[in-house]
């Protein structure tokens, strides 16, 4: 009996050691976040083992597990009509509230889900629930884009899927079919979906043949650049739950179908060293020492290598392709962007991506709302369903929907 108690005590201690992470005191629901992160890490390690044994790609296994678990918590509503459709070869899920008596046309949001361009789905309950609540709260038609994922396809196919689906929806006859007001359409997305939303919005703004364009863009903790993995938020939050820095770098490598052997060189910014000529023209567009307020810069110093590896850019030219890294777009493109909302979280490696994009848009003359949350973390907005229900999720979701309601 004593041996059993010793074993149980040891297991409890090991479990606590695995779960516990030192977190900033401002993070909401810290123990719940630690448990969520421990679960993520355990599942990811299992998936990487399966990948190592060459049984399947780790992202395929991980996405299968996420979608299988997520379906167990599906939330439905009798007040919203949910249908699946195909827009120019791209699957979408449409959330449409019933027509009101004196109403003719509704506003609309094209929503692009996150997940590192590799995970999640418009059909899983986390995004199904978010889009349903958006449709109900805004009395709007929500089009959730089901773009293809890594490793099935890599950049630029996710961008092309999101662009094709959005352009198809913006056709006058399609908008009429869904009773949508052409002058009240937003494009939005979270994380990697925020990346795609920003890139699509930039592309649409330059399309001279397009007669209908989004009125707004709303980006939720978007990933916008792969130029500098040592911004203050990358340094401050390098080991934060849900999205530590090394995981974000691996997502970029997977998105570009690159080699994991490059991860360390990317982490220390060898790909954008001073002697890498291809990066020089972009350096001024991502100078965080001038784009970030002092409260975010703190005492962090830029990491700029004198000598790096130009072959990285030659092997992965998409690292500097504005369709993949919208923060590097030229000012002439930024001037064409619609009124913008950007939500950022203090405890997120991507915080500075969003803050810098807000500043660059503002400098270009675009009206921008930067909605920053000191106690929140990356991905929190979709975590509102038990057992992954966080006060941070409800807080950010309500603020996001409130802005859309007031501006769309």
């Amino acid at each position: 009996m004593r041996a059993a108690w010793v074993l149980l005590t040891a297991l409890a201690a090991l479990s606590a050691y695995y779960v516990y992470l030192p977190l900033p005191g401002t993070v909401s629901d810290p123990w719940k976040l630690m448990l969520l992160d421990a679960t993520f890490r355990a599942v990811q390690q299992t998936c990487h083992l399966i990948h190592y044994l060459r049984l399947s790609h780790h992202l395929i296994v991980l996405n299968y597990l996420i979608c299988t678990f997520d379906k167990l918590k599906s939330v439905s509503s009798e007040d919203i009509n949910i249908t699946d459709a195909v827009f120019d070869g791209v699957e979408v899920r449409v959330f449409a509230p019933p027509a009101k008596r004196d109403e003719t046309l509704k506003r609309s949001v094209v929503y692009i889900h996150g997940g590192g361009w590799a995970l999640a789905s418009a059909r899983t309950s986390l995004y199904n629930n978010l889009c349903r609540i958006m449709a109900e709260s805004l009395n709007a038609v929500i089009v959730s884009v089901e773009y293809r994922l890594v490793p099935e396809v890599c950049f630029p196919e996710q961008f092309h899927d999101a662009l094709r689906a959005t352009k198809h929806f913006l056709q006058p006859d399609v908008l009429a079919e869904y009773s949508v007001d052409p002058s009240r359409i937003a494009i939005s997305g979270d994380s990697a979906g925020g990346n795609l939303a920003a890139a699509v919005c930039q592309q649409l703004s330059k399309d001279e043949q397009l007669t209908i364009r989004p009125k707004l863009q709303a980006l939720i903790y978007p990933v916008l650049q792969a130029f500098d993995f040592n911004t203050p938020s990358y340094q401050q939050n390098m080991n934060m739950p849900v999205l530590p820095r090394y995981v974000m770098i691996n997502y970029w490598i997977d998105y570009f179908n690159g080699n994991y052997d490059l991860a360390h060189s990317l982490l220390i910014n060898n790909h954008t060293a001073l002697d890498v000529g291809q990066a020089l023209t972009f350096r001024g567009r991502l100078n965080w020492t001038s784009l970030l307020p002092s409260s975010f810069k703190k005492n962090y110093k830029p990491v700029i290598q004198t000598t790096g590896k130009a072959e990285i850019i030659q092997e992965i030219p998409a690292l500097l392709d504005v369709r993949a890294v919208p923060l590097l777009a030229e000012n002439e493109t930024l001037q064409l962007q619609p009124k913008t909302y950007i939500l950022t979280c203090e405890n997120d490696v991507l915080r500075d991506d969003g803050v810098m994009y807000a500043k660059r848009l503002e400098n270009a003359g675009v009206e921008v709302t930067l909605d920053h949350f000191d106690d929140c973390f990356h991905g929190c907005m979709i975590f509102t369903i038990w057992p992954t229900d966080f006060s941070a999720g409800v807080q950010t979701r309500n603020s996001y929907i409130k802005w859309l309601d007031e501006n769309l």
Side-chain angles (χ1 to χ4, degrees), residues 1-15:
M1 188 59 130
R2 175 181 249 176
W5 277 111
V6 170
L7 180 59
L8 286 173
T9 302
L11 287 174
L14 286 171
S15 298

Side-chain angles (χ1 to χ4, degrees), residues 132-301:
R132 177 189 59 79
I133 290 175
M134 288 170 63
E136 289 179 345
S137 302
L138 299 169
N139 189 37
V141 175
I142 311 299
V143 176
S144 187
V145 181
E146 185 79 324
Y147 58 91
R148 291 170 294 167
L149 302 173
V150 175
E152 177 192 354
V153 298
C154 299
F155 176 81
E157 297 308 316
Q158 285 84 350
F159 165 77
H160 287 156
D161 284 357
L163 180 63
R164 286 203 314 273
T166 304
K167 288 183 70 172
H168 177 87
F169 182 62
L170 292 177
Q171 295 178 91
D173 57 331
V174 178
L175 295 178
E177 179 184 347
Y178 288 98
S179 301
V180 168
D181 185 341
S183 66
R184 304 178 73 191
I185 301 169
I187 183 166
S188 183
D190 65 296
S191 192
N195 168 281
L196 294 170
V200 166
C201 216
Q202 289 183 6
Q203 186 64 35
L204 294 176
S205 70
K206 297 183 288 186
D207 190 335
E208 296 180 355
Q209 297 182 337
L210 205 62
T211 58
I212 300 170
R213 290 186 174 85
K215 177 184 180 182
L216 309 171
Q217 67 172 336
L219 313 177
I220 313 302
Y221 32 76
V223 47
L224 298 170
Q225 59 89 24
F227 191 94
D228 185 356
F229 291 109
N230 289 275
T231 62
S233 63
Y234 264 113
Q235 295 185 59
Q236 172 184 304
N237 300 305
M238 65 174 67
N239 295 314
M240 273 298 296
V242 181
L243 190 65
R245 179 168 60 174
Y246 77 92
V247 171
M248 188 64 247
I249 290 174
N250 284 339
Y251 277 140
W252 276 116
I253 291 172
D254 287 322
Y255 188 35
F256 295 145
N257 197 25
N259 191 322
Y260 291 127
D261 292 341
L262 299 175
H264 180 70
S265 284
L266 291 172
L267 186 147
I268 61 175
N269 291 344
N270 271 345
H271 60 306
T272 54
L274 292 175
D275 66 333
V276 179
Q278 301 98 312
L280 291 180
T281 57
F282 296 98
R283 189 168 298 282
R285 302 178 192 177
L286 205 156
N287 180 6
W288 61 257
T289 62
S290 62
L291 291 172
L292 294 178
S294 57
S295 59
F296 287 172
K297 287 186 288 189
K298 299 183 175 69
N299 294 318
Y300 293 104
K301 304 298 181 185

Side-chain angles (χ1 to χ4, degrees), residues 77 80 95-97 106-113 126-144 186-190 218 220 381-382 396-405 408:
S77 170
I80 300 297
F95 300 76
K106 295 183 181 297
R107 47 192 176 177
S108 181
V109 180
V110 175
Y111 195 87
I112 308 174
H113 72 80
L126 292 175
Y127 285 105
N128 202 76
N129 186 51
L130 172 63
C131 291
R132 177 189 59 79
I133 290 175
M134 288 170 63
E136 289 179 345
S137 302
L138 299 169
N139 189 37
V141 175
I142 311 299
V143 176
S144 187
I187 183 166
S188 183
D190 65 296
I220 313 302
M381 198 176 78
I382 62 171
T396 50
R397 186 187 67 194
N398 289 347
S399 189
Y400 162 67
I401 291 177
K402 182 176 183 289
W403 185 88
L404 284 173
D405 192 33
L408 185 57

